[in-house]
């Protein structure tokens, strides 16, 4: 049988303060087309369908239209919740939807049973924490005394699945949304993922021993975890500047029973984004000239700009005139290198006081820090305004 594996749709996400509604719709259209064109008998979505537990209405409607279209096309959808999703909200109506071939595991509850498609077991494990697994184990009368972290929690769930009679009957695919590592080695990560410090939430790949394929979500770069049969699909869209070099794709997975056992193959199909996310570096003059020479459609891309001028003027406004979806501006020039700052961003830290915010703003606009006497004038003026000691003028 053949199925398509994807994850981390993050419907409802914004980038550069711009809605990604059109970008997500474009990706979902490609996904449905690929499933139909490849002859897939199922579509697997390994979590983070939404970008937040309380997604905007547009995102909910988009997902509703998509799964309705997949049901009309006769292609089952097998989805689990991710750490960005509300499992309870995502699973509303799941029993009813399963009759139309839309199978959604929002929460870990009750006796686990596979969704069988074309002679293959699909085991759907929603994103879980230790407390979720302990509660589920207690409900089933299982011993959860050894569950002390994410790894032991997932091992208990997978051990239980392996103990069920259905597991021996046919090939098995596990769908999960967890941070899976290989002998403690972390997969390539990006800034847009929400993970715990260090490896507190990691699950060793050995927890999934015995499954013929493990369809993972959570990490946004498509990659294998110690074996070709344990894979992160990655997000179909670039969601942060750390993902600019990612080659986003969907995985088309084939499972075949042979005399030697179960044979698994996959191929990666590149995602064609509506708008790319790219890095551009140079002086402001060079960047503006480069943008003006581009096709108008390419100017709609999301841009991470690295400005090399030592003394640029009005950087953000000038670049945004040619690249309206400017995501971030950083400086890499003699001043920042001398200061030992690899990257000074346009983004504002709301935890800073007004003086620090103004210094950041000045640096973003001028490309150099305030002089000592200028900084003192600013601090004195702010003190008069905030304390009420006089007229700031």
């Amino acid at each position: 049988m053949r199925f398509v594996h994807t994850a981390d749709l993050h419907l409802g996400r914004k980038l550069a303060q711009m809605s990604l509604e059109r970008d997500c719709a474009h990706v979902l259209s490609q996904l449905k087309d690929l499933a139909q064109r490849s002859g897939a008998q199922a579509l697997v979505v390994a979590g983070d369908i939404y970008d937040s537990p309380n997604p905007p209405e547009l995102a909910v409607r988009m997902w509703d239209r998509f799964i309705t279209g997949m049901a009309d096309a006769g292609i089952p959808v097998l989805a689990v919740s991710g750490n960005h999703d509300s499992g309870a909200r995502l699973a509303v109506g799941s029993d009813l939807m399963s009759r139309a071939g839309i199978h959604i595991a929002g929460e870990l509850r009750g006796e686990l049973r596979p969704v069988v498609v074309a002679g293959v077991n699909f085991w759907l494990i929603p994103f879980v924490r230790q407390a979720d697994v302990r509660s589920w184990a207690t409900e089933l009368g299982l011993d959860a005394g050894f569950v002390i972290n994410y790894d032991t929690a997932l091992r208990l769930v997978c051990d239980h699945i392996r103990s069920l009679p259905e597991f021996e009957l046919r090939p098995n695919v596990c769908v999960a949304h967890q941070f899976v590592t290989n002998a403690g080695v972390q997969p390539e990560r990006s800034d847009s993922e929400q993970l715990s410090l260090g490896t507190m939430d990691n699950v060793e790949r050995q927890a999934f021993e015995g499954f013929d394929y493990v369809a993972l979500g959570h990490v946004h770069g498509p990659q294998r975890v110690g074996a070709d049969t344990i894979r992160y699909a990655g997000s179909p869209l670039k969601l942060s500047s750390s993902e600019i070099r990612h080659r986003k794709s969907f995985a088309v997975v084939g499972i075949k029973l042979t005399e030697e056992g179960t044979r698994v193959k996959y191929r990666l199909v590149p995602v064609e984004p509506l708008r790319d996310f790219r890095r551009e570096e140079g002086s402001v003059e060079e960047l503006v000239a480069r943008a003006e020479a581009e096709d108008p459609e390419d100017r709609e891309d999301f841009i991470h700009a690295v400005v090399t001028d030592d003394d640029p003027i009005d950087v953000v406004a000038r670049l945004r005139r040619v690249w309206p979806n400017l995501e971030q501006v950083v400086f890499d020039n003699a001043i920042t290198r001398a200061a030992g700052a690899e990257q000074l961003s346009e983004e504002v830290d709301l935890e800073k006081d007004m003086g620090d915010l103004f210094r950041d703003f000045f640096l973003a606009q001028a490309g150099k820090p305030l002089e000592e006497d200028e900084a003192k004038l600013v601090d004195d003026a702010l003190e008069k305004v905030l304390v009420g000691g006089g007229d700031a003028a």
Side-chain angles (χ1 to χ4, degrees):
M1 70 92 63
R2 184 181 295 118
F3 65 92
V4 177
H5 170 203
T6 190
D8 297 277
L9 302 177
H10 287 275
L11 304 181
R13 179 82 169 216
K14 289 186 176 181
L15 190 59
Q17 300 179 347
M18 297 290 293
S19 169
L20 292 179
E21 179 190 358
R22 292 192 301 118
D23 305 79
C24 290
H26 183 72
V27 162
L28 291 178
S29 176
Q30 287 182 65
L31 187 54
K32 180 184 175 185
D33 179 67
L34 173 62
Q36 293 177 301
R37 182 165 35 88
S38 66
Q41 291 152 294
L43 168 66
V44 167
V45 185
D48 279 357
I49 290 166
Y50 296 121
D51 191 55
S52 69
N54 188 22
E57 290 182 14
L58 286 172
V60 176
R61 292 189 186 122
M62 187 182 300
W63 174 246
D64 179 62
R65 286 194 300 269
F66 175 70
I67 58 177
T68 300
M70 294 297 291
D72 290 343
I75 302 175
V77 175
L78 314 171
V80 301
S81 62
N83 60 304
H84 280 253
D85 299 311
S86 163
R89 288 191 179 99
L90 192 64
V92 169
S94 58
D95 291 340
L96 184 61
M97 286 191 290
S98 65
R99 302 176 195 175
I102 308 300
H103 306 275
I104 300 176
E107 299 176 295
L108 189 66
R109 57 188 178 120
E111 187 66 68
L112 299 180
R113 287 289 179 263
V115 178
V116 182
V117 180
V120 174
N121 288 332
F122 287 84
W123 302 90
L124 309 184
I125 305 178
F127 175 74
V128 292
R129 299 175 175 84
Q130 300 97 301
D132 302 320
V133 173
R134 292 193 199 101
S135 176
W136 166 79
T138 300
E139 179 186 350
L140 294 185
L142 301 175
D143 177 19
F146 65 92
V147 173
I148 58 173
N149 53 28
Y150 281 79
D151 183 67
T152 50
L154 263 292
R155 285 179 188 272
L156 177 57
V157 175
C158 292
D159 283 346
H160 180 67
I161 290 173
R162 284 186 285 261
S163 74
L164 298 174
E166 295 95 329
F167 195 81
E168 300 298 327
L169 297 178
R170 52 187 73 91
N172 294 279
V173 173
C174 180
V175 184
H177 188 93
Q178 302 289 159
F179 183 47
V180 180
T181 54
N182 178 32
V185 178
Q186 298 185 23
E188 179 190 349
R189 293 166 54 174
S190 67
D191 296 340
S192 56
E193 299 153 4
Q194 290 183 357
L195 300 173
S196 299
L197 295 174
T199 56
M200 290 173 58
D201 55 1
N202 76 300
V203 177
E204 278 294 311
R205 73 181 184 91
Q206 284 76 14
F208 302 98
E209 194 74 36
F211 288 96
D212 296 290
Y213 184 83
V214 181
L216 295 174
H218 201 15
V219 171
H220 290 176
Q223 59 197 288
R224 67 200 291 274
V225 185
D228 284 342
T229 53
I230 305 177
R231 291 196 60 83
Y232 283 109
S235 60
L237 291 176
K238 299 175 182 179
L239 300 174
S240 74
S241 58
S242 61
E243 299 177 31
I244 285 175
R245 291 185 175 85
H246 285 185
R247 301 181 69 178
K248 302 295 189 179
S249 60
F250 303 121
V252 179
V253 184
I255 296 182
K256 184 178 182 180
L257 277 174
T258 68
E259 292 182 358
E260 292 78 25
T262 303
R263 184 178 175 187
V264 179
K265 286 188 173 182
Y266 71 90
R267 63 185 175 93
L268 301 181
V269 179
V271 175
E272 297 296 333
L274 182 66
R275 294 178 286 188
D276 200 2
F277 190 174
R278 51 195 169 93
R279 180 183 188 273
E280 296 289 346
E281 181 173 351
S283 68
V284 176
E285 295 294 339
E286 291 170 339
L287 295 175
V288 170
R290 195 179 305 162
E292 290 176 341
E294 289 180 339
D295 185 287
E297 287 188 5
D298 292 336
R299 291 195 206 171
E300 296 298 317
D301 288 347
F302 295 99
I303 302 297
H304 177 86
V306 180
V307 176
T308 58
D309 296 84
D310 285 341
D311 194 21
I313 302 298
D314 202 18
V315 178
V316 174
R318 292 172 66 189
L319 292 181
R320 192 154 277 155
R321 275 195 293 269
V322 290
W323 282 318
N325 296 321
L326 184 68
E327 181 265 346
Q328 194 176 44
V329 173
V330 299
F331 295 93
D332 183 12
N333 54 30
I335 296 169
T336 58
R337 286 191 291 273
E342 295 181 2
Q343 189 169 329
L344 294 171
S345 167
E346 177 205 355
E347 294 182 340
V348 174
D349 182 354
L350 296 179
E351 297 297 322
K352 295 183 178 180
D353 63 30
M354 289 294 293
D356 288 336
L357 289 173
F358 184 85
R359 280 184 277 273
D360 287 348
F361 173 77
F362 183 87
L363 179 61
Q365 296 298 312
K368 62 180 181 179
L370 286 167
E371 299 291 341
E372 186 176 346
D373 56 340
E374 294 172 331
K376 187 176 185 308
L377 285 172
V378 169
D379 290 339
D380 290 345
L382 287 172
E383 183 179 359
K384 288 180 179 179
V385 171
L386 296 175
V387 178
D391 187 348

